[in-house]
Amino acid sequence: MQHLPSKSNIRAAEQYCLSLLQLCNSLPKLLQFQSHIIKSGLQNNPLLLTKFTSISSNYNAVSHASSFIFSPYVEPRFFDAFLFNTIIRSYAFTSEFKVDGLFFYCKMLRYGIWPNKFTYPFVLKAVAGLGELKLGETVHGSVVKFGFDDDSHVLNTLVHMYCCCNGGVEYARKVFDEMPKWDSVGWSAMIGGYVRWGLASEGVRLFREMQVVGVEPDEVTMVCLLSACIDLGALELGKWLEGYIKRKNVRKSVVLWNALIDMFAKCGDVDKALSLFRSMSERNIVSWTSVIDGMAMHGRGTEAVSLFEEMKKDRVVPDDVSFIGLLTACSHSALVEQGKGYFHSMTKEFGISPKIEHYGCMVDLLCRAGLVQEALDFVQRMPIKPNPVIWRTLITACRAHGELKLGEKITKEVIKHEPTHDSNYVLLSNIYAKMFSWEKKIMIREVMAKKGMRKVPGSTMIELASEIFEFVSGDKSHSEYKIIHQMVDDIGKEIRRAGFVASTSEVLLDLDEEDKEGAVNRHSEKLAIAFALMKTPPGTPIRIVKNLRVCEDCHSATKFISKTYQREILVRDRNRFHRFIDGVCSCKDFW
């Protein structure tokens, strides 16, 4: 007669297996352990299966673990919620198998195992990674059905999930507003959601509500808010947040340090960013990349190169993102030969295969330097297919350097492959304007109108007295627009007396010169600068953020304004920073 093992023997075998499992530090050892489980007759032990799954996920082997668990070796009657939660969690934290987490959630329900309050945060994390709003609503319905819609952890994850789905921010806010109790996690999720979808002002407004109700922000909240400052170009708010972090003793992790560096660099105070970087006791690759990127945006290419070399001496191995910042720095500072050298060093010295972004940086480098033919040859020799961004960079260079026929040819080809992308038609329209081919330009405008396309309007933001003001080209929405427009006219008279001549070559309409000058005179950055001159004391620096590349006329006018009115003017456009002091721009007219 066969004797069944005693409970004490089973317990001892279980403990022995658990101790062995802790020693598994590679996939081969995990496979050996799996065989040991079967030989020991413990393949139906839920605790061992759960621990096995958890450790398997550390070695990207969760698929293997789940295939073993749902094999004939294991009896389903031993499954429990804890095991399924671990499987779902493991898949939710992968980059490419999140949908499998939802598959096992459905399998859990089919097996008649009820989810608990720990199940849904993992399921919702998987949905958040997929960004599927309809799927999120379905899971939300299950949360309500099983009665977990009053659990703060589940509700916080619901807010985060909706914030990760396109069109889900309003759903997230509804969940947030109806929460019975708020904590810093929920506030951070909602603020982060606003920032993620370009609603930075809403995020800042919500933070102010958070202060009113007395909830203390944590490190995550601060990182979200610093990101909002970058979107808004709100340096003063960023400075206040830095002071708040010090006053409230918010834990200053490397992530928060990096966010502060990034904020100061992208809001215009790159020297402060560098100072913070130098004061860090612990740095990672993101710290170095942030400060190199900052120098690149400000046209301080030589300093960016110096920091990159310092990083190598510090034995920090650059990654592909570091090289994007470095090559951008070379591009914005006309360091053509150094840029070429660093591009080749990616593969030769560091074994990094260039991605499309790196090829794009090289095309930009050559185009900015006026080497249009060399840029075209480079594109034609690329081992990967050029994307539309690279072609548009070439087209812009063709227009800027007089290669108009080549630019026209390339643009027509791009339109064949991207017939619904409005910027391609705008580029072609710009080229025809430069060629004075008004009939062709009008034809392009008519095509755009038929397709319902419109050029993205220029807009500029400025932070004054803790408030963000936004101006759009030709804007009349501001309550003081008449006074602002009069100020623009007065500025125009002053700078013309100082020698300024309007550049109307970028105006796309077939107007006479006087009308063209009026058109460029109402560009959004001029409205913002006029407003700042009205509202700030003499000598106060002016900082503005433009959503598009600053045009030639506004660039020239701002140089004259900085000298005539004795103001330092910092402009962040789509590509870089321009610091205007006494009639000179930091970009050295190379942008």
Side-chain angles (χ1 to χ4, degrees):
M1 180 178 176
Q2 187 177 5
H3 292 283
L4 293 172
S6 66
K7 286 186 178 180
S8 60
N9 287 342
I10 293 173
R11 180 67 177 161
E14 179 187 275
Q15 290 302 309
Y16 177 66
C17 281
L18 286 172
S19 64
L20 282 180
L21 193 53
Q22 297 305 316
L23 300 175
C24 291
N25 55 8
S26 65
L27 184 56
K29 287 185 179 180
L30 272 172
L31 296 176
Q32 287 177 2
F33 179 78
Q34 179 183 314
S35 300
H36 182 79
I37 290 177
I38 297 170
K39 287 176 183 176
S40 303
L42 294 170
Q43 67 269 24
N44 291 315
N45 185 299
L47 178 59
L48 274 179
L49 293 175
T50 301
K51 292 289 186 184
F52 177 68
T53 302
S54 181
I55 291 179
S56 295
S57 68
N58 296 338
Y59 301 100
N60 298 317
V62 63
S63 296
H64 178 83
S66 58
S67 64
F68 168 63
I69 290 166
F70 294 95
S71 71
Y73 291 110
V74 183
E75 296 179 40
R77 64 192 175 92
F78 292 101
F79 295 163
D80 59 14
F82 190 40
L83 173 61
F84 271 101
N85 288 351
T86 304
I87 295 171
I88 295 165
R89 177 190 180 278
S90 298
Y91 279 114
F93 279 88
T94 64
S95 58
E96 51 190 24
F97 300 116
K98 294 181 187 295
V99 69
D100 290 336
L102 294 163
F103 169 78
F104 282 104
Y105 165 68
C106 294
K107 200 175 185 95
M108 176 185 190
L109 298 179
R110 284 200 302 273
Y111 275 114
I113 298 170
W114 278 42
N116 56 31
K117 67 177 182 179
F118 301 107
T119 308
Y120 283 105
F122 303 139
V123 175
L124 290 166
K125 180 171 177 61
V127 176
L130 297 170
E132 295 285 347
L133 182 59
K134 291 293 182 186
L135 183 59
E137 289 180 275
T138 301
V139 176
H140 187 175
S142 296
V143 167
V144 175
K145 176 184 173 182
F146 285 103
F148 298 116
D149 53 333
D150 59 351
D151 182 89
S152 61
H153 190 36
V154 173
L155 290 172
N156 287 339
T157 319
L158 259 174
V159 171
H160 170 72
M161 179 275 293
Y162 277 126
C163 284
C164 290
C165 299
N166 190 6
V169 173
E170 289 183 10
Y171 294 86
R173 186 57 191 262
K174 188 173 187 300
V175 173
F176 178 80
D177 287 340
E178 293 174 358
M179 286 171 67
K181 185 181 178 182
W182 290 314
D183 58 20
S184 63
V185 177
W187 286 95
S188 297
M190 194 64 243
I191 291 168
Y194 279 132
V195 176
R196 177 194 293 265
W197 295 104
L199 302 168
S201 296
E202 290 297 323
V204 172
R205 194 173 295 118
L206 189 61
F207 171 64
R208 288 176 177 144
E209 290 181 34
M210 181 181 184
Q211 291 178 284
V212 170
V213 299
V215 177
E216 291 288 334
D218 58 16
E219 175 195 358
V220 178
T221 317
M222 290 294 111
V223 171
C224 292
L225 287 164
L226 290 168
S227 183
C229 291
I230 292 171
D231 288 353
L232 299 169
L235 179 62
E236 294 308 314
L237 175 59
K239 287 179 179 177
W240 183 89
L241 287 170
E242 185 200 17
Y244 185 90
I245 289 166
K246 289 177 182 175
R247 289 194 306 275
K248 297 292 184 179
N249 292 315
V250 177
R251 190 177 80 87
K252 218 169 180 183
S253 66
V254 176
V255 173
L256 186 52
W257 272 102
N258 292 342
L260 280 164
I261 290 168
D262 200 37
M263 182 277 295
F264 277 111
K266 290 177 179 173
C267 287
D269 195 345
V270 72
D271 291 312
K272 173 68 176 179
L274 183 59
S275 173
L276 282 172
F277 173 79
R278 293 295 181 202
S279 64
M280 290 178 76
S281 57
E282 178 190 352
R283 300 171 186 150
N284 60 16
I285 185 65
V286 178
S287 315
W288 288 96
T289 302
S290 296
V291 76
I292 289 169
D293 281 347
M295 292 298 170
M297 285 189 72
H298 287 264
R300 291 161 66 166
T302 305
E303 290 168 85
V305 167
S306 177
L307 279 161
F308 182 80
E309 293 299 330
E310 184 184 340
M311 179 178 77
K312 290 198 296 182
K313 287 178 185 174
D314 214 27
R315 296 183 179 178
V316 177
V317 180
D319 59 11
D320 60 326
V321 180
S322 308
F323 274 101
I324 292 172
L326 179 65
L327 294 173
T328 301
C330 293
S331 176
H332 286 182
S333 298
L335 303 174
V336 177
E337 293 307 316
Q338 282 177 280
K340 289 179 181 178
Y342 281 122
F343 179 77
H344 293 304
S345 77
M346 285 179 65
T347 47
K348 290 181 179 177
E349 191 176 345
F350 299 101
I352 299 172
S353 298
K355 295 180 179 177
I356 192 70
E357 293 85 357
H358 302 102
Y359 286 105
C361 287
M362 287 303 296
V363 173
D364 191 57
L365 171 74
L366 296 169
C367 285
R368 286 176 187 274
L371 304 171
V372 180
Q373 190 57 53
E374 186 176 345
L376 180 60
D377 293 341
F378 180 86
V379 170
Q380 290 171 340
R381 293 196 311 270
M382 280 171 53
I384 53 180
K385 185 180 178 181
N387 63 11
V389 175
I390 287 177
W391 288 118
R392 282 193 280 271
T393 301
L394 262 175
I395 295 163
T396 302
C398 287
R399 179 173 177 267
H401 298 287
E403 300 280 355
L404 302 178
K405 286 293 183 184
L406 177 60
E408 180 186 15
K409 180 182 175 183
I410 296 171
T411 310
K412 285 181 176 179
E413 284 300 313
V414 173
I415 287 174
K416 284 181 186 176
H417 294 95
E418 272 193 327
T420 60
H421 202 292
D422 57 349
S423 65
N424 297 329
Y425 296 89
V426 173
L427 285 169
L428 188 55
S429 178
N430 288 355
I431 287 172
Y432 287 144
K434 199 85 177 261
M435 295 168 74
F436 302 106
S437 298
W438 301 115
E439 288 183 8
K440 290 182 178 180
K441 190 202 72 62
I442 290 168
M443 179 187 70
I444 294 298
R445 287 179 63 206
E446 288 173 350
V447 169
M448 290 181 71
K450 285 179 183 177
K451 291 177 178 283
M453 296 175 177
R454 290 183 61 196
K455 183 181 176 184
V456 176
S459 69
T460 300
M461 288 187 291
I462 183 169
E463 180 190 29
L464 290 178
S466 300
E467 194 174 345
I468 305 294
F469 298 90
E470 184 173 9
F471 295 90
V472 179
S473 294
D475 199 358
K476 293 185 178 181
S477 62
H478 196 280
S479 59
E480 297 181 80
Y481 83 88
K482 290 183 179 178
I483 303 171
I484 295 168
H485 283 211
Q486 183 58 53
M487 184 67 181
V488 170
D489 292 338
D490 293 343
I491 291 169
K493 292 172 185 174
E494 289 293 324
I495 62 176
R496 277 194 293 273
R497 274 197 285 268
F500 169 72
V501 177
S503 172
T504 58
S505 63
E506 296 194 17
V507 179
L508 305 183
L509 302 175
D510 188 9
L511 306 170
D512 60 39
E513 287 305 309
E514 186 177 346
D515 286 340
K516 285 183 182 180
E517 190 170 334
V520 294
N521 209 31
R522 293 291 182 265
H523 280 185
S524 61
E525 53 265 61
K526 288 180 181 172
L527 297 173
I529 291 170
F531 184 67
L533 289 172
M534 287 166 48
K535 298 295 182 180
T536 58
T540 306
I542 297 171
R543 293 183 175 88
I544 61 175
V545 177
K546 176 83 185 280
N547 68 327
L548 305 175
R549 175 185 176 274
V550 65
C551 76
E552 184 182 326
D553 181 78
C554 288
H555 189 272
S556 178
T558 308
K559 287 197 291 185
F560 275 90
I561 294 168
S562 71
K563 185 167 186 171
T564 304
Y565 290 86
Q566 290 296 293
R567 296 287 192 108
E568 176 187 342
I569 303 174
L570 190 70
V571 179
R572 187 182 92 193
D573 72 5
R574 186 174 59 189
N575 296 327
R576 60 170 296 156
F577 275 94
H578 302 262
R579 188 180 297 274
F580 300 88
I581 300 176
D582 198 28
V584 178
C585 180
S586 59
C587 78
K588 301 181 180 66
D589 298 338
F590 182 82
W591 84 103

